[in-house]
Amino acid sequence: MTAPASPPEVLRAPLVVEFPFTRSLGPVQSAFLTGLREGLVLGIKTSDGTVMVPPVEYDPRTAEELRELVEVAPTGTVTTWAWNDRPRPNQPLDTPFAWVLVRLDGADTALLHALDAPGPEAVRTGMRVRVRWAAERSGAITDIACFEPHDGTGTGRAEPHDGVFAEPVTGIVAQARLDYTYSPGRAQTAYINGLSERKTIGERCPSCHKVYVPPRGACPTCGVATTDQVEVGPAGTVTTYCIVNIKARNLDIEVPYVYAHIALDGAGLALHGRIGGIPYDQVRMGLRVEPVWTEGGRFPDHYRPTGEPDADYDAYKELI
Amino acid sequence: MPRTSRHARDVAVVAFAQSDHLRRTDELSEVEMVMPVLHQVLAQTGLKAGEIGFTCSGSSDYLAGRAFSFTMTLDGVGAWPPISESHVEMDGAWALYEAWVKIQTGEADTALVYSYGKSSPGPVRDVLTRQLDPYYLAPLWPDSVALAALQAQALIDAGETDEAALAAIGARSRACAESNPHAQLSGAVPQGDYQVRPLRTGDCPPIGDGAAAVILAAGDTARRLCARPAWITGIDHRIEAHSLGLRDLTDSPSTRLAAERAGVFDAPVDTAELHAPFSSQEVVLRKALGIGAGDVEGQAVAVNPSGGPLAANPIMAAGLIRIGEAAARIHRGQSDRAVAHATSGPCLQQNLVAVLEGDPA
């Protein structure tokens, strides 16, 4: 009896998710963010006289539509705070700062932002602060660089404002980037490691005996773990295909080309790949193909005919 | 019969299973993590996957970092031939609510509810900023600990707690977790340094990976599958204004309203499983639910006897686990009437409350 081989190290790779959502602003958010660009803070007045800053389009209590803009002061009072010793990427300041909720003079609700202060001893609920404007402003919440301590009282007045500006901001691009470390897990690690040796590794379901390629570690029919590794291919049979006539951006493949489902010999389901080495209009169901690897490729570049006779329909009809 | 049935059908939690919650599970894909839990919960009832009337899951693509990630774990259910299935991009407690509604409609007699989250691949504090308002909040990247810290300071300013009391909540939770083999943190855990002041490491939930599953069943089916079903006599969920500056962070009116609608205040409860990821949030929830502060020992209401989310907080599963833990105490005869709570969003923005009752002895 031999000792079982120790499982290979699970693969890991950086995974970056970036998304620049383009978002349109309604009349209220447009006025607020354009106001920030112009160096003033707008709020919205509800029918009971409450002034909300930042403004919302609908009264959260009554769902009434809100359009009565008012200008409030760039000074205010901290209603609660939290000292952030270790700023994280993208946060407003890269030196230690306080997160604050600030009720601006003239407003009845609070705005979340950062407060630049020397240390937690310099911050307290009730302290007076004022807006520090960003040097360059574009119509975004970050046009407020942060708040800073301020000696002085406020007027508490909310002046009517028509919300009309030259060249109003009508949209924002909400940039975000998140950095993950992706691990594909045991089954897919085995598959990817197999590919590096130009082998295709599937896994057999212990219950229904179907061989899954690529394996994900579970049989979706039986709902049990697939642990029995099986090498499949290299040759296979085209079970179905389509002819692609539109060239994808950054894709260095001449159109038309054929994209096919290929049942590798021994596999219980088809995977997909491009068919090459044969005119596109001569590809057919049942065509026998084999993978073509390119130097340094981490998966087959495409599949080409083996020259064998076509497979009988009965041999692959369950895999279409 | 449940004592205070108010719904078209009597529906109970009849089985509950969860994974061991761990800081990282790199060797497991999501389906590899979920599948053993599904097998355990099915084994408790003797049901096969194909015999379940409705399946509903909860998870988040933002944790996984890729789209439609939940489709992968469907392989662990046995989704071929086709099953009746749904998914919520929320904690599994909301998947349980959907499944409960499905059973109330009469379209199913049993339901499998599961949820899972792997927080280890990404920076979860930053990932959670993407659930915030994209115009006024998300561009500032206020992380989940920072927002909870603002709430904690508001409570301290209002005289409702102090740092020592918060530390005691964390210590009590992790002491309770010593009897929970699935917990990520248990026993004496140092309170640690400030993460975002006034919250220290000990006030914050551990970051980890985990999964949970529950089986619901109606009426006689529940009685057949479970010796002492945990009847859901009330369940409700409510939400508050999105903007934090519009809310009184020291209170949770949405929890109170959900609790009223679920019937929490109709009779005393003996157990409360509260989804309070931060120690300060337990203070808010106790106030909303009318549960006094103090030790679990010698107190009428056992609060988070499982250790709660301060001992294990697999995001997207931690709320479902609260319902499961409350139900399991009823199954074991340790509780007769329990309240379970789940939350989602910053500073307890959304809250779900369920009342679970066992048949009288």
Side-chain angles (χ1 to χ4, degrees), chain B residues 13 77 82 85 104 112 117 128 187 231 255 263 272 286 300 321 327 350:
Chain B
V13 176
V77 175
E85 185 271 341
Q104 288 297 336
L112 169 62
L128 290 176
W231 301 105
T255 298
R286 280 176 180 272
I321 290 169
Q350 303 171 53

Side-chain angles (χ1 to χ4, degrees), chain A residues 10 12 17 24 29 55 80-83 86 88 90-91 99 109-110 112 125 179-181 186 216 219-221 223, chain B residues 26-27 32 39 62 65-66 75 78-80 121 123 126 134-136 140-141 143 150 153-154 157 194 197 245-246:
Chain A
V10 169
R12 283 191 190 87
V17 178
S24 40
Q29 294 185 131
T80 188
W81 62 284
W83 186 255
R86 277 158 292 175
R88 302 178 72 80
N90 305 308
Q91 291 182 343
W99 288 106
T109 67
L112 181 96
T125 297
D179 284 83
Y180 298 86
T181 301
R186 177 200 57 79
R216 294 210 196 91
C219 172
T221 304
Chain B
D26 290 355
E27 72 287 2
E32 289 167 320
H39 291 173
Y62 278 78
R66 62 175 196 271
D75 288 355
W80 179 267
D126 304 327
Y135 303 98
Y136 302 160
L140 304 175
W141 294 77
D143 61 278
L150 286 167
Q153 185 63 43
D157 286 339
Y194 286 120
R197 186 169 171 162
L246 293 178

Side-chain angles (χ1 to χ4, degrees), chain B residues 7-260:
Chain B
H7 302 290
R9 305 184 77 192
D10 296 334
V11 176
V13 176
V14 296
F16 167 58
Q18 62 184 313
S19 64
D20 293 342
H21 308 298
L22 303 168
R23 179 64 188 87
R24 326 191 58 84
T25 53
D26 290 355
E27 72 287 2
L28 300 174
S29 65
E30 272 91 344
V31 66
E32 289 167 320
M33 182 174 74
V34 167
M35 200 162 41
V37 177
L38 297 175
H39 291 173
Q40 285 170 38
V41 80
L42 288 165
Q44 286 177 33
T45 60
L47 290 172
K48 294 185 175 62
E51 296 170 328
I52 295 288
F54 180 61
T55 298
C56 199
S57 61
S59 66
S60 172
D61 284 354
Y62 278 78
L63 293 179
R66 62 175 196 271
F68 295 100
S69 61
F70 78 95
T71 59
M72 300 294 180
T73 58
L74 270 178
D75 288 355
V77 175
W80 179 267
I83 59 171
S84 174
E85 185 271 341
S86 185
H87 174 259
V88 299
E89 192 77 6
M90 278 189 92
D91 189 287
W94 276 264
L96 182 141
Y97 184 87
E98 182 177 333
W100 177 85
V101 169
K102 188 85 169 180
I103 295 175
Q104 288 297 336
T105 65
E107 289 190 33
D109 291 327
T110 54
L112 169 62
V113 180
Y114 68 96
S115 62
Y116 61 93
K118 285 182 72 161
S119 296
S120 59
V124 70
R125 285 170 64 179
D126 304 327
V127 169
L128 290 176
T129 66
R130 301 302 94 190
Q131 72 185 329
L132 303 171
D133 149 35
Y135 303 98
Y136 302 160
L137 284 182
L140 304 175
W141 294 77
D143 61 278
S144 48
V145 178
L147 297 175
L150 286 167
Q151 186 172 32
Q153 185 63 43
L155 286 162
I156 291 170
D157 286 339
E160 301 206 22
T161 192
D162 55 34
E163 290 192 32
L166 295 179
I169 290 170
R172 191 210 75 229
S173 296
R174 282 142 189 162
C176 288
E178 287 192 277
S179 60
N180 178 354
H182 304 287
Q184 187 176 338
L185 290 182
S186 63
V189 174
Q191 184 65 356
D193 297 329
Y194 286 120
Q195 292 297 300
V196 180
R197 186 169 171 162
L199 294 179
R200 295 177 184 269
T201 310
D203 295 306
C204 302
I207 295 171
D209 302 349
V214 156
I215 289 178
L216 298 181
D220 290 340
T221 307
R223 289 184 189 87
R224 179 168 57 79
L225 296 174
C226 182
R228 192 172 193 242
W231 301 105
I232 301 172
T233 59
I235 185 168
D236 196 276
H237 62 101
R238 301 282 158 166
I239 185 172
E240 296 179 29
H242 195 100
S243 175
L244 295 172
L246 293 178
R247 291 166 48 191
D248 172 3
L249 295 179
T250 69
D251 199 6
S252 183
S254 57
T255 298
R256 188 175 295 112
L257 180 57
E260 282 170 12

